[in-house]
């Protein structure tokens, strides 16, 4: 037996599907009103549309006290320009009494809406992977190492390649910075035949898509070429003077990279791996000991005093047989073995593992908006939305 609900005379209406979220409303309006000449808007170009269109959306999304975005700071984009960036920004707390109003003609409400949308309404995950360079187009990447880190969008930058904690406004450029990059990417190493892939994704519970904002790669060969070219003049001189036997393997160079199709920029702190550095130090110590031994290679019949004199008296005008043999052997060692050892050393260390620590990814706000409106790429690297 079972109980069946009696149908009423009036047919029941099916449950209505939830309407679009506020984030989807904003992006839908942008999709229909924002124009991207030649496929993309320039950062300094004012988006078409009146304040009547954008301010109500801004008010509903960020000024409604019932809606918690998790951030009490709001950015306002002014029409005036500053020397350091394309536009001048003002920052207010949501509960401030002097918030700019709809009638304030000094505010660009369209850019203000989209800037706060980018900063507050999406979670971002930055993923670095070390992959094989032999992967064919349209084939899944062969991933050897993978590191994901949650990052935050901000219209300001804190320089990682210089001392100090001062920040500077960078709008219209948006930075995704990893302040603890030394710890996050401490084990991410790349070697010959591999490449580093960088991916930045955006996620929102109020948006159906999973846009990929940045996706690019750089092979080990190109990374090492730039890394070597940035060596200091002192390091280059020391390496040249020792025929390549000495090189500063403990240095760190900050290498900048342009994004795919020239959109955006990224930076990596690159250094030799600890394993490779220790191997070099051991080799250098062995080479120094070999040089000292060469000057002491005398006949077993010579006494200790003669041998000691031979080592410290190679510059005297009259030479004993022991001194001449030591001097000849030293000259031979300097002319032949050093060059051979240097060549073997350079061949052995022409490669070597590089540690790559990503410090930031930068994108203009309009590039981010375009990818949010029209997602064109799928994630190439796996990642976790819960990484923090």
């Amino acid at each position: 037996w079972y109980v069946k609900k009696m149908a009423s005379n009036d047919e029941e209406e099916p449950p209505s599907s939830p309407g679009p979220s506020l984030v989807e409303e904003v992006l839908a309006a942008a999709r229909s009103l924002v124009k991207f000449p030649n496929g993309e808007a320039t950062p300094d170009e004012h988006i078409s549309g009146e304040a009547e269109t954008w301010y109500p959306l801004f008010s509903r999304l960020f000024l409604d006290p019932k809606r918690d975005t998790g951030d009490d700071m709001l950015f306002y984009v002014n029409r005036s320009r500053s020397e350091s960036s394309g536009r001048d920004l003002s920052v207010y707390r949501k509960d401030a009494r002097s918030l700019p109003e709809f009638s304030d003609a000094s505010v660009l409400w369209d850019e203000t809406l989209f800037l706060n949308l980018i900063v507050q309404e999406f979670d971002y995950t930055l993923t670095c992977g070390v992959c094989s360079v032999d992967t064919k187009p349209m084939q899944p990447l062969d991933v050897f190492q993978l590191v994901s880190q949650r990052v935050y969008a901000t219209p300001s930058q804190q320089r990682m390649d210089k001392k100090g904690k001062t920040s500077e406004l960078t709008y219209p450029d948006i930075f995704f910075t990893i302040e603890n990059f030394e710890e996050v990417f401490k084990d991410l190493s790349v070697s010959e035949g591999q490449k580093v892939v960088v991916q930045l994704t955006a996620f929102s519970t109020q948006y159906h898509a999973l846009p990929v904002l940045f996706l690019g790669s750089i092979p080990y060969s190109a990374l090492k070429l730039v890394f070597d070219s940035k060596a200091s003049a002192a390091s280059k001189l020391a390496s040249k003077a020792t025929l390549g036997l000495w090189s500063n393997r403990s240095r760190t160079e900050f290498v900048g990279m342009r994004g795919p199709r020239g959109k955006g920029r990224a930076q990596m702190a690159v250094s030799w791996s600890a394993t490779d550095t220790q191997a070099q130090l051991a080799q250098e110590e062995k080479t120094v000991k070999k040089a000292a031994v060469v000057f002491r290679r005398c006949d077993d019949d010579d006494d200790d005093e003669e041998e000691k004199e031979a080592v410290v008296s190679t510059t005297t005008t009259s030479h004993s047989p022991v001194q001449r043999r030591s001097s000849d052997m030293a000259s031979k060692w300097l002319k032949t073995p050093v060059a051979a050892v240097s060549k073997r050393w350079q061949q052995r260390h022409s490669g070597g593992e590089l540690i790559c620590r990503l410090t930031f990814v930068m994108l203009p706000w309009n590039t981010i908006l375009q990818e949010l409106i029209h997602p064109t790429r799928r994630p190439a690297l796996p990642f976790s939305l819960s990484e923090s």
Side-chain angles (χ1 to χ4, degrees):
W1 291 88
Y2 64 93
V3 179
K4 183 177 181 181
K5 183 178 179 180
M6 300 295 294
S8 62
N9 293 333
D10 297 331
E11 295 184 358
E12 295 182 0
E13 296 182 358
S16 58
S17 58
S21 66
L22 280 176
V23 170
E24 289 177 325
E25 283 190 42
V26 172
L27 293 179
R31 193 174 293 111
S32 61
L33 296 176
V34 176
K35 307 300 180 184
F36 295 95
N38 300 321
E40 60 180 83
T42 59
D44 293 335
E45 182 179 357
H46 176 54
I47 292 179
S48 61
E50 300 297 332
E52 290 83 356
T53 301
W54 305 115
Y55 180 82
L57 290 171
F58 174 79
S59 179
R60 291 170 58 196
L61 199 58
F62 299 109
L63 301 182
D64 185 353
K66 297 180 181 179
R67 190 172 186 275
D68 182 18
T69 61
D71 194 339
D72 64 345
M73 305 297 293
L74 290 174
F75 294 97
Y76 288 80
V77 183
N78 302 318
R79 293 184 184 274
S80 60
R81 298 175 181 271
S82 65
E83 296 181 358
S84 59
S85 62
R87 297 286 186 189
D88 188 24
L89 296 181
S90 299
V91 185
Y92 295 86
R93 291 191 178 276
K94 290 183 178 180
D95 57 358
R97 297 181 179 180
S98 58
L99 288 177
E101 298 180 351
F102 168 76
S103 58
D104 194 334
S106 66
V107 178
L108 292 175
W109 290 110
D110 45 10
E111 293 191 27
T112 297
L113 169 63
F114 295 127
L115 173 57
N116 286 280
L117 177 79
I118 292 170
V119 171
Q120 297 192 33
E121 293 298 326
F122 285 86
D123 294 329
Y124 302 93
T125 302
L126 194 54
T127 305
C128 277
V130 176
C131 309
S132 171
V133 296
D134 298 328
T135 304
K136 296 181 180 179
M138 306 306 291
Q139 294 294 323
L141 293 174
D142 189 6
V143 182
F144 302 114
Q145 297 181 66
L146 196 68
V147 178
S148 289
Q149 175 74 8
R150 183 177 179 181
V151 291
Y152 300 89
T154 176
S156 62
Q157 178 193 21
Q158 180 176 309
R159 294 289 296 269
M160 295 298 171
D161 55 346
K162 293 186 177 181
K163 295 181 179 180
K165 297 295 184 180
T166 58
S167 297
E168 57 183 4
L169 290 177
T170 57
Y171 187 81
D173 294 334
I174 308 298
F175 276 78
F176 303 84
T177 304
I178 306 96
E179 295 185 0
N180 58 336
F181 65 91
E182 292 181 337
E183 177 66 23
V184 174
F185 299 106
K186 63 181 180 180
D187 297 323
L188 193 71
S189 61
V190 59
S191 56
E192 193 69 42
Q194 299 176 343
K195 62 182 177 181
V196 181
V197 180
V198 179
Q199 174 181 281
L200 177 65
T201 54
F203 169 77
S204 174
T205 56
Q206 299 190 54
Y207 191 45
H208 66 279
L210 187 65
V212 177
L213 307 182
F214 187 98
L215 182 60
S217 65
I218 179 170
Y220 170 86
S221 56
L223 192 63
K224 185 177 182 299
L225 182 65
V226 178
F227 176 73
D228 289 342
S229 68
K230 293 175 71 69
S232 65
S235 296
K236 293 179 180 179
L237 180 61
S239 180
K240 184 177 181 180
T242 59
L243 300 178
L245 284 173
W246 183 91
S247 61
N248 185 5
R249 309 283 284 196
S250 63
R251 64 187 174 94
T252 296
E253 302 291 350
F254 289 85
V255 178
M257 299 173 291
R258 290 201 173 274
R261 301 186 297 276
K263 295 183 179 181
R265 187 160 51 91
Q267 184 190 71
M268 282 187 176
V270 183
S271 61
W272 293 110
S273 69
T275 302
D276 194 68
T277 301
Q278 291 172 1
Q280 186 224 14
L281 293 176
Q283 179 67 22
E284 288 179 354
E285 183 180 2
K286 182 179 178 181
T287 303
V288 172
K289 290 181 178 179
K290 179 177 180 180
V293 169
V294 167
F295 286 95
R296 291 177 171 85
R297 285 179 179 172
C298 303
D299 292 343
D300 295 336
D301 296 337
D302 298 321
D303 57 33
D304 293 339
E305 292 300 323
E306 287 181 325
E307 187 173 345
K308 290 179 181 178
E309 186 179 0
V311 175
V312 297
S313 304
T314 54
T315 57
T316 57
T317 54
S318 60
H319 297 284
S320 67
V322 175
Q323 291 173 333
R324 285 196 299 272
R325 283 196 295 273
S326 298
S327 179
D328 292 343
M329 294 181 71
S331 177
K332 182 180 180 182
W333 187 87
L334 288 174
K335 290 180 180 179
T336 305
V338 170
V341 171
S342 174
K343 184 177 181 180
R344 288 195 299 271
W345 173 258
Q346 291 173 349
Q347 289 174 346
R348 180 179 177 183
H349 290 84
S350 61
E353 289 187 348
L354 291 174
I355 300 295
C356 301
R357 302 176 175 94
L358 189 67
T359 62
F360 71 77
V361 168
M362 181 279 292
L363 289 165
W365 72 269
N366 62 300
T367 299
I368 298 175
L369 179 63
Q370 185 179 15
E371 291 296 336
L372 293 177
I373 295 174
H374 305 289
T376 58
R377 292 171 291 190
R378 298 173 61 88
L381 296 173
F383 63 97
S384 172
L385 296 174
S386 62
E387 292 288 345
S388 60

